[in-house]
Amino acid sequence: MSLFLPVLYLILGWGVGRYRPGIRHRASTLLTRYVIPFVITYNVATKFNEMYVVIIGTVVAMMVMMRVSRWFSPDPLRNLCFFYLNIGWLGLPIASTLFGDGATTIMIAAYVGSSVMGNSLGFMLLSPHTGESNALLAKKLLISPPVLSVALGIVLMPLHSAISHYLSPVHEAATFTMSFLGMAILGIWLSQTRMNLSDFKHELVEALWRAVSWAVIGLVIIYLAWTFHAEAIYNNKATVFLLCFLPPAANIIVMETYYVGTGRSARIISCSTCISILAIACYGAITTLVHVTQ
């Protein structure tokens, strides 16, 4: 049942999107400003020692993937869609549902690293401005919800026992809300985008190359985790390889609209998300069967 819950949430969102698509703005505001920051702060405050390696690793992996993307396309928007993944609204709720708390910790750390790097590299690739705009971007990144949540979590680390004891039920409710609304928002978004067969064929090829590239990086990460006894990562190998199947981040369309004034990435993200959902369903079924048989 846990395998199909994220898909169910997405279907519900798709149905809502046919009649009340505007609700996605309120839902995304609730997630971005309150729910996800709380979950990040809670996990940093209670599990920081398990997270900082993943944050740094995500940043390095995205820089490598940015270079790899240049081999396939000179298009900056295509480059961004290749390495900036939907970890927050798709990967995080699915990993939490399928693989539990250990997976949640890893995905939150990866989300923090990808949010900072995705917005920074998105500005570099899409924005025509330089000089003061870079300083403005740095200022915005420093006061962005993911960065502020990490800072608050670090400050609260001495209180980790009390936070874990008293706020654990709130964290569970926030995790469910994040899973439900994150997938529902994707469903609403998908209901508003038209796609054709040629779009799916093109994005399928792109998704395969992205999966292969992330799989190689995942193998390196698992090897390093084994070498340096990073058990939190090594014991959650299925979560690491889940990154191979994630689509481009929905935030890309926001950056494209702001910096370029176009919306080409909407179709790319929509097609990739549909492909990813099918791939993740198969991946989840396989990992669940392997776990049951062990």
Side-chain angles (χ1 to χ4, degrees):
M1 182 63 184
S2 63
L3 175 64
F4 296 102
L5 281 176
V7 178
L8 176 61
Y9 301 156
L10 183 134
I11 293 173
L12 290 173
W14 187 88
V16 171
R18 304 296 294 179
Y19 302 99
R20 296 190 61 187
I23 200 173
R24 63 187 172 191
H25 300 296
R26 292 192 293 272
S28 62
T29 299
L30 177 63
L31 278 181
T32 304
R33 293 186 180 179
Y34 304 105
V35 178
I36 292 178
F38 171 79
V39 174
I40 292 174
T41 299
Y42 178 92
N43 281 272
V44 171
T46 58
K47 304 175 182 178
F48 180 78
N49 291 334
E50 303 174 19
M51 294 184 68
Y52 74 94
V53 174
V54 180
I55 294 174
I56 296 172
T58 302
V59 169
V60 174
M62 289 182 69
M63 294 178 68
V64 172
M65 287 293 289
M66 181 179 68
R67 300 300 302 178
V68 173
S69 68
R70 302 283 179 87
W71 296 345
F72 300 108
S73 174
D75 184 350
L77 188 62
R78 282 279 175 187
N79 297 154
L80 193 60
C81 288
F82 192 79
F83 65 79
Y84 186 13
L85 303 181
N86 193 336
I87 296 175
W89 287 1
L90 186 61
L92 186 52
I94 287 179
S96 176
T97 302
L98 292 178
F99 305 127
D101 290 341
T104 300
T105 301
I106 289 177
M107 279 298 189
I108 287 173
Y111 168 74
V112 172
S114 69
S115 294
V116 175
M117 284 304 295
N119 283 280
S120 300
L121 296 175
F123 177 86
M124 293 171 55
L125 291 171
L126 300 180
S127 175
H129 304 292
T130 56
E132 294 184 356
S133 296
N134 287 320
L136 180 61
L137 174 65
K139 181 179 178 181
K140 289 182 177 180
L141 286 175
L142 288 175
I143 62 174
S144 65
V147 176
L148 290 178
S149 300
V150 171
L152 180 58
I154 292 174
V155 171
L156 295 176
M157 281 177 60
L159 303 174
H160 64 91
S161 296
I163 292 172
S164 179
H165 178 72
Y166 291 106
L167 295 182
S168 179
V170 180
H171 175 254
E172 292 180 5
T175 302
F176 169 77
T177 302
M178 180 177 61
S179 301
F180 177 76
L181 288 183
M183 294 302 297
I185 289 170
L186 281 172
I188 295 172
W189 182 53
L190 287 172
S191 70
Q192 303 299 305
T193 304
R194 292 185 178 181
M195 297 164 283
N196 55 51
L197 184 59
S198 62
D199 293 325
F200 279 101
K201 289 180 179 178
H202 189 279
E203 298 312 322
L204 178 60
V205 174
E206 194 88 356
L208 289 173
W209 281 114
R210 186 164 54 241
V212 170
S213 301
W214 276 107
V216 173
I217 292 176
L219 289 172
V220 174
I221 291 173
I222 296 300
Y223 173 76
L224 292 175
W226 175 76
T227 302
F228 295 101
H229 307 289
E231 295 183 1
I233 300 174
Y234 187 76
N235 292 336
N236 287 279
K237 295 185 285 294
T239 304
V240 174
F241 288 113
L242 178 63
L243 294 171
C244 299
F245 307 105
L246 295 181
N251 190 43
I252 293 173
I253 185 63
V254 178
M255 290 190 291
E256 181 193 0
T257 302
Y258 180 76
Y259 292 126
V260 185
T262 59
R264 287 193 297 128
S265 62
R267 182 173 284 106
I268 297 173
I269 297 170
S270 296
C271 293
S272 298
T273 300
C274 293
I275 294 169
S276 292
I277 290 170
L278 294 175
I280 290 171
C282 295
Y283 179 70
I286 292 171
T287 54
T288 301
L289 288 173
V290 171
H291 178 73
V292 170
T293 55
Q294 288 179 343

